Amino acid sequence: MVTSNPALDQLGGNRLAGLQELANRLRSDGAPLYDFAIGDPDEPTPDVIRRALIDAVGPVSRYPTAAGQPALRAAVAAWFGRRHGVDLDPDTEVVPSSGSKEAIFHLPLAVLDPHGPRRHVLWGEPGYPTYASGAVFAGGVSDPVTLTPEGGWRLSLTDLPAARLQRACIAWLNHPHNPTGATADVGWYREQVAVARAHDLLLVSDECYQEIWFDEPAPSLLEACDGDLRGVLAVVSLSKRSGMTGYRSGAIVGDPELIARLKVLRPHVGTASPDFVQSAAIAAWNDQTHVEERRGIFRAKREVLLDHLAEAGIEVSGSAATFYLWFRAPGGDDAAYAQALLRERIVASPGRAFGPGGAGWLRLALVPSVEGCRAAVAAWRAAIEAGRLPSD
Ligand SMILES: Cc1ncc(COP(=O)(O)O)c(C=O)c1O
């Protein structure tokens, strides 16, 4: 009998897979289905990026390097400077990744000692499950902190007892936040940096939704460091910013000692992006026009849904940025409300899919077109009026 890694049994599969299967079955009958479940909008990847990829496909294919092309590291550093006012040395403070998911998953392998006293990894739940998977597969312990609407859906290290901070090696922050869309400001980041430094805890900020903001540009954790990047990293991605989920491109930036360690680890893993993807990524980081256009599209969809939720008297929380809206389940049961919406051919994610702290809430991903959002709202409203959906 072949042995099995207990981490696999502990973590299980994709928590949204069941919902997606059901949605696919419903879709097969040909009638419209309004799918707000998966965080993968279908706006096309901008031409300038596709063209850069095609032009870079040469006759000879070679292994890419984990350190990436110097021009890609320079493009990431230049974007960080323009967007966040933070100076990064492209050679020592930037390493590219194949999207942010693998970067998040693999990062503990560089810092977590599975036999040491600091094996815990802090993250906020509801949240992105890969913080837990990375910890557990590296031989550590996932230590989720329950987020609340009162706490602004933020993992505040200032609220945790010293013993919990002392047994951890990494704390993950994520703003703008999946699934709640909550944001954080530079002052809040400063407080987290102070606590993390006092406890020798690596602070990593997952900033993959950085460019999907609506009122104020979302700051980076690195803005709160005043040029001293010891013990802090940020993970960035082109997936959401540039409609490049299928390309797999992002970067890890920050503390040069940690970046050096990642450059030792990552060639073992074999996740370096193909050179043609790196060329497309350079074009993407160097262009801001398409980012503004995408933001305008999400803004229009968001307004349709926000107007509807307000009119229906449904409480919205977080939701200041990202292409997610987070709302309280009328009737209190997120799974029951998701089921009831499915009968109206509207797919929303029950909050408990993102951890027990998400129970009672649902997430809408702004995936359908503006017209699709309008049609979904009309169906939703009609169901409320007909008494087919639970209300408070
Ligand atoms: C919070 C968060 N982090 C990271 C990722 C991974 O994104 P990617 O690997 O496409 O950069 C996602 C994807 O949905 C996410 O929601």
Side-chain angles (χ1 to χ4, degrees):
M1 177 76 158
V2 177
T3 58
S4 167
N5 185 340
L8 268 185
D9 303 323
Q10 182 186 333
L11 293 162
N14 176 357
R15 286 182 285 197
L16 291 177
L19 190 71
Q20 226 29 54
E21 245 166 61
L22 203 61
N24 286 341
R25 271 212 303 280
L26 278 173
R27 197 177 277 114
S28 65
D29 71 10
L33 181 76
Y34 309 108
D35 192 346
F36 294 91
I38 286 291
D40 196 359
D42 51 13
E43 278 72 31
T45 308
D47 259 354
V48 61
I49 299 171
R50 282 187 284 167
R51 179 54 44 206
L53 180 124
I54 292 163
D55 289 350
V57 178
V60 178
S61 158
R62 315 217 63 137
Y63 284 118
T65 62
Q69 297 174 15
L72 174 56
R73 295 196 304 269
V76 173
W79 171 80
F80 224 89
R82 285 193 305 275
R83 173 68 173 77
H84 292 300
V86 174
D87 267 348
L88 292 174
D89 178 336
D91 291 329
T92 59
E93 295 174 336
V94 178
V95 66
S97 67
S98 289
S100 51
K101 182 172 192 163
E102 67 83 4
I104 293 166
F105 181 83
H106 290 123
L107 189 112
L109 293 174
V111 293
L112 193 154
D113 174 357
H115 308 294
R118 303 193 66 162
R119 299 163 54 224
H120 287 236
V121 173
L122 294 163
W123 60 286
E125 70 83 12
Y128 187 59
T130 304
Y131 314 122
S133 331
V136 171
F137 278 102
V141 180
S142 159
D143 191 3
V145 177
T146 305
L147 307 181
T148 62
E150 299 74 33
W153 304 107
R154 285 185 285 272
L155 192 185
S156 288
L157 300 178
T158 44
D159 295 343
L160 299 184
R164 198 163 178 194
L165 296 162
Q166 288 288 346
R167 68 186 187 190
C169 56
I170 304 170
W172 284 99
L173 307 179
N174 167 224
H175 294 287
H177 181 235
N178 178 14
T180 69
T183 50
D185 60 29
V186 176
W188 181 85
Y189 280 127
R190 255 184 233 290
E191 291 170 14
Q192 311 317 309
V193 172
V195 176
R197 290 212 167 129
H199 294 276
D200 290 326
L201 184 58
L202 167 60
L203 195 57
V204 196
S205 178
D206 172 358
E207 301 184 353
C208 75
Y209 294 97
Q210 209 65 350
E211 294 280 39
I212 319 292
W213 50 266
F214 301 99
D215 298 326
E216 280 175 45
S220 168
L221 166 68
L222 302 196
E223 290 177 44
C225 299
D226 302 319
D228 176 4
L229 299 181
R230 279 172 307 145
V232 292
L233 292 172
V235 179
V236 295
S237 171
L238 290 171
S239 290
K240 322 285 177 177
R241 174 189 186 276
S242 299
M244 291 174 69
T245 50
Y247 285 60
R248 317 307 305 131
S249 187
I252 311 162
V253 302
D255 185 336
E257 259 186 45
L258 290 162
I259 296 292
R261 223 183 288 172
L262 288 168
K263 283 183 182 168
V264 176
L265 169 77
R266 292 176 60 79
H268 289 284
V269 181
T271 47
S273 288
D275 277 318
F276 39 82
V277 170
Q278 294 190 46
S279 297
I282 294 167
W285 288 116
N286 285 341
D287 181 65
Q288 199 66 16
T289 311
H290 73 275
V291 178
E292 316 296 337
E293 280 167 13
R294 278 174 68 75
R295 188 176 303 128
I297 294 169
F298 292 128
R299 190 191 296 281
K301 298 182 188 189
R302 174 184 150 81
E303 278 164 12
V304 173
L305 268 304
L306 278 179
D307 285 352
H308 159 66
L309 293 169
E311 197 186 291
I314 296 175
E315 180 188 343
V316 172
S317 186
S319 306
T322 71
F323 42 63
Y324 303 121
L325 296 177
W326 184 244
F327 67 95
R328 199 187 281 278
D333 183 335
D334 53 312
Y337 201 77
Q339 282 295 335
L341 278 176
L342 260 186
R343 287 194 287 274
E344 308 302 326
R345 305 186 66 83
I346 297 168
V347 195
S349 308
R352 68 186 64 186
F354 306 98
W361 296 83
L362 290 101
R363 188 191 79 173
L364 291 172
L366 300 173
V367 176
S369 63
V370 178
E371 294 70 43
C373 289
R374 287 206 187 97
V377 160
W380 193 334
R381 196 182 294 131
I384 293 174
E385 280 162 12
R388 290 197 300 273
L389 285 171
S391 59
D392 276 330

